[in-house]
Amino acid sequence: MSTTTPSTEHPRPLAGVRVIELAHWMAGPAAGGIMSDWGAEVIKVEPHGGEPMRNIWGKMGANPDAPNGAFISANRGKKSVELDVQSEEGQDRLHELLGSADVLLTNLRPGALERLGLAPAQVADRHAHLVYCSLTAYGWGGPDQDKAGYDLASFFGRTGIAHEITTQGTPPAALLQGLGDTYTAMTAVAGILAALHERQSTGRGRFVEASLLRTGMWALAGELGVQAMGGHPRPPKPREQCGTPMYNSYPTSDGRWFYLVGVQADRQLPKVLAAIGRSDLLEDERFASARALSKNRGEVIAILDEAFRRQPLEHWGAVLDEHDVFWAPVQTPAEVVDDPQAHAMGAWISVDGHPSVDSPIRFDQLSRREAPRPPRAGEHSEELLRARAT
């Protein structure tokens, strides 16, 4: 992997902000991870022995020593304290931390927070300055507020996303990548920052609520809006029947795939046909308009398939670029790791000798080479708890 030129003064726009993270698994810690990347002091409160995401692979029956890129990405640069927050002493220590903090970030279920004396009204009474962000599966209120929901259930399944991205006639995939978690994490961070901005003028914090369900619905707002207004959105058909052949995937001779992304079919069609050496098809009634392409989709896709299967992806990349065709390769994770554009934009950093993807926002076009490692479970307990207690 190549590296980007490091900045000696990496931006830290959240320097001076203290976050207490009472969270586990992915969505909550990922929100804290973004804030840590941006300079906040994030104190991760964990049970004795550490939170379960530290050992995710072993818990799922896989190799427990497999690289844990998700944990590294979500927890680098934080501090860790071990607390039994169900005990009176642990709750006292937690409130001591909250008294000096700006943000409480948690993804515990509402019922658990209420049992711990951390309901929003209780926290506001005791820490009026605090921005309190609760990140849950299904939100506060309603019959399912305490229902368990990882992103597969709450973000993909319940919202309609899994249905709308699954090719008709095929079963939904069991997605393990945590995309809904990270999407919701960034949503939570946006809400936290809005509340911190407001606090500058009011002096008071606010309860900020983010959920996998609501975030997923917002992500699918276009399709859900169509349905709500009486329309009938449909999941994708098999690619051989795609209704918009200029917005479809195509194979090349070396077994690779790429997307054509011609949303404006009439604009991209002449360029695509020129690229494959078939400008004569512009006179063919099947290619006369976007509507004609859709009507004759099977024949159009078959013609494009035949053309693209004649050469490898490297050839088509150069040719499509030459003709200003909108396209992108379908890359494997291994190819993304070596993607020169990703390196040029500073997307990769090193964490304790391990490559890791940097947070999605870059400030002033400045890139960093390294980020601090995730803390060991309880690594900062002595510094932040016992010293304070004495």
Side-chain angles (χ1 to χ4, degrees):
M1 289 172 52
S2 61
T3 56
T4 56
T5 302
S7 167
T8 57
E9 298 183 6
H10 186 262
R12 293 170 52 84
L14 295 186
V17 173
R18 172 175 270 198
V19 180
I20 306 303
E21 178 191 296
L22 182 61
H24 49 265
W25 296 115
M26 192 62 191
I34 293 169
M35 299 186 76
S36 176
D37 281 343
W38 295 351
E41 180 189 26
V42 180
I43 299 172
K44 185 177 183 69
V45 177
E46 303 186 70
H48 292 288
E51 65 125 315
M53 187 65 181
R54 290 180 177 272
N55 304 299
I56 178 63
W57 300 126
K59 295 179 183 297
M60 296 182 68
N63 178 5
D65 298 321
N68 197 336
F71 184 83
I72 291 174
S73 174
N75 293 283
R76 58 193 176 218
K78 298 178 183 179
K79 296 179 179 179
S80 171
V81 299
E82 291 181 324
L83 277 180
D84 176 9
V85 296
Q86 299 186 59
S87 70
E88 183 177 349
E89 180 184 1
Q91 291 184 13
D92 288 343
R93 300 287 82 78
L94 176 62
H95 281 288
E96 287 179 6
L97 291 172
L98 293 178
S100 65
D102 300 287
V103 178
L104 167 60
L105 170 64
T106 181
N107 63 356
L108 271 63
R109 300 185 212 179
L113 292 168
E114 290 170 345
R115 289 191 294 274
L116 292 171
L118 295 174
Q122 293 173 295
V123 174
D125 286 344
R126 192 163 179 176
H127 307 286
H129 70 289
L130 199 66
V131 172
Y132 179 169
C133 180
S134 170
L135 199 162
T136 63
Y138 296 109
W140 287 71
D144 293 334
Q145 76 163 17
D146 282 315
K147 189 172 184 178
Y150 295 89
D151 77 334
L152 179 63
S154 317
F155 184 89
F156 285 104
R158 191 75 175 263
T159 63
I161 291 176
H163 180 269
E164 290 299 289
I165 66 173
T166 300
T167 301
Q168 293 179 27
T170 63
L175 304 165
L176 282 174
Q177 293 86 353
L179 298 178
D181 289 325
T182 51
Y183 203 117
T184 306
M186 183 58 82
T187 303
V189 171
I192 291 169
L193 297 185
L196 286 173
H197 175 76
E198 180 188 46
R199 194 184 68 171
Q200 292 180 332
S201 58
T202 67
R204 294 186 62 85
R206 184 179 288 278
F207 181 61
V208 177
E209 182 184 350
S211 69
L212 290 160
L213 177 63
R214 186 162 175 161
T215 302
M217 291 176 63
W218 178 70
L220 198 66
E223 298 287 85
L224 294 178
V226 168
Q227 181 71 55
M229 291 185 288
H232 301 284
R234 298 284 190 271
K237 293 184 177 181
R239 61 165 296 277
E240 295 81 6
Q241 304 170 29
C242 178
T244 51
M246 290 294 100
Y247 199 82
N248 197 16
S249 59
Y250 291 95
T252 58
S253 66
D254 53 349
R256 301 286 304 282
W257 289 83
F258 71 92
Y259 283 117
L260 287 180
V261 286
V263 178
Q264 297 173 286
D266 292 341
R267 178 184 175 191
Q268 284 288 298
L269 178 60
K271 300 176 182 180
V272 171
L273 294 181
I276 66 174
R278 293 300 309 273
S279 294
D280 60 295
L281 291 173
L282 289 172
E283 305 301 321
D284 189 317
E285 63 180 11
R286 296 172 298 177
F287 293 79
S289 65
R291 181 64 178 166
L293 290 174
S294 181
K295 181 180 178 181
N296 299 283
R297 65 192 71 173
E299 296 174 65
V300 171
I301 293 171
I303 290 171
L304 295 178
D305 275 348
E306 181 183 5
F308 289 129
R309 282 195 176 103
R310 293 173 183 166
Q311 297 289 346
L313 181 63
E314 183 177 4
H315 167 87
W316 288 119
V319 172
L320 295 174
D321 285 344
E322 180 184 347
H323 288 83
D324 191 32
V325 172
F326 298 171
W327 76 283
V330 177
Q331 298 197 135
T332 65
E335 290 161 344
V336 177
V337 167
D338 292 326
D339 189 315
Q341 181 61 31
H343 289 280
M345 65 187 294
W348 285 102
I349 54 175
S350 175
V351 179
D352 199 27
H354 301 287
S356 184
V357 179
D358 206 352
S359 55
I361 301 295
R362 183 167 63 159
F363 300 97
D364 298 328
Q365 293 185 296
L366 295 173
S367 300
R368 56 182 180 165
R369 176 176 290 174
E370 297 181 352
R373 61 170 174 79
R376 295 183 293 275
E379 181 176 349
H380 303 92
S381 295
E382 181 74 30
E383 169 191 341
L384 294 171
L385 298 177
R386 297 186 180 89
R388 184 181 297 274
T390 58

